[in-house]
Amino acid sequence: MDCLFCKIIEKKIPSKIVYEDNRMLAFEDINPQAPIHILIIPKKHISTVLEIAPADNELVGSMLQAANNIARDKGVADRGFRLVFNCNREAGQEVFHIHLHLFAGRQMHWPPG
Ligand code: AMP
Ligand code: ZN
């Protein structure tokens, strides 16, 4: 399987890691859309959020906990931050290994583009 984010997990492709444990990795987005733009990914390959199984619920919940901790560490928790999962083509998903986008550091707009 040729997956960019699995290669990042395996350190075959470099990334700027902000958090890592045995189940997940968080790293800076290479093309940031906000002053803080971090991707949080499970080490388990899951292609889209549609493939999240009930057995993955704790893993995905832990990704939210990691996002909260990163927002606190970066000092943006109280100001605000946005978490996004894109799923499939119309949402703009480009990498088919689920990733939680964390955006912060500027005013976000609504509705999103
Ligand atoms: P999505 O459009 O939701 O699939 O988001 C994919 C994200 O991965 C985009 O924001 C890209 O900028 C980001 N990305 C692609 N390649 C890399 C890379 N090598 N390192 C870090 N982020 C990347
Ligand atoms: Zn993968």
Side-chain angles (χ1 to χ4, degrees):
M1 183 174 42
D2 196 36
C3 173
L4 175 67
F5 286 175
C6 283
K7 287 178 186 156
I8 285 178
I9 290 161
E10 293 164 11
K11 314 277 166 64
K12 290 178 179 163
I13 292 174
S15 68
K16 292 183 180 170
I17 295 171
V18 294
Y19 176 74
E20 180 169 17
D21 65 24
N22 58 338
R23 295 186 300 174
M24 73 183 87
L25 184 70
F27 55 97
E28 293 181 8
D29 196 290
I30 204 167
N31 183 22
Q33 302 301 310
I36 295 170
H37 184 175
I38 291 162
L39 302 175
I40 299 147
I41 67 174
K43 290 189 171 176
K44 174 184 179 182
H45 180 89
I46 301 172
S47 300
T48 78
V49 292
L50 292 166
E51 272 70 51
I52 295 170
D56 300 319
N57 285 354
E58 194 185 339
L59 171 62
V60 175
S62 298
M63 291 167 64
L64 290 171
Q65 297 293 341
N68 287 342
N69 289 335
I70 292 165
R72 290 189 192 101
D73 288 348
K74 299 278 183 188
V76 295
D78 290 340
R79 285 174 59 187
F81 58 100
R82 181 170 289 176
L83 301 177
V84 173
F85 278 112
N86 292 322
C87 183
N88 281 336
R89 183 173 47 85
E90 283 196 358
Q93 184 175 3
E94 291 177 348
V95 179
F96 285 79
H97 178 133
I98 62 167
H99 44 284
L100 181 59
H101 292 261
L102 188 165
F103 303 100
R106 65 167 170 83
Q107 180 63 50
M108 299 294 152
H109 304 292
W110 197 263

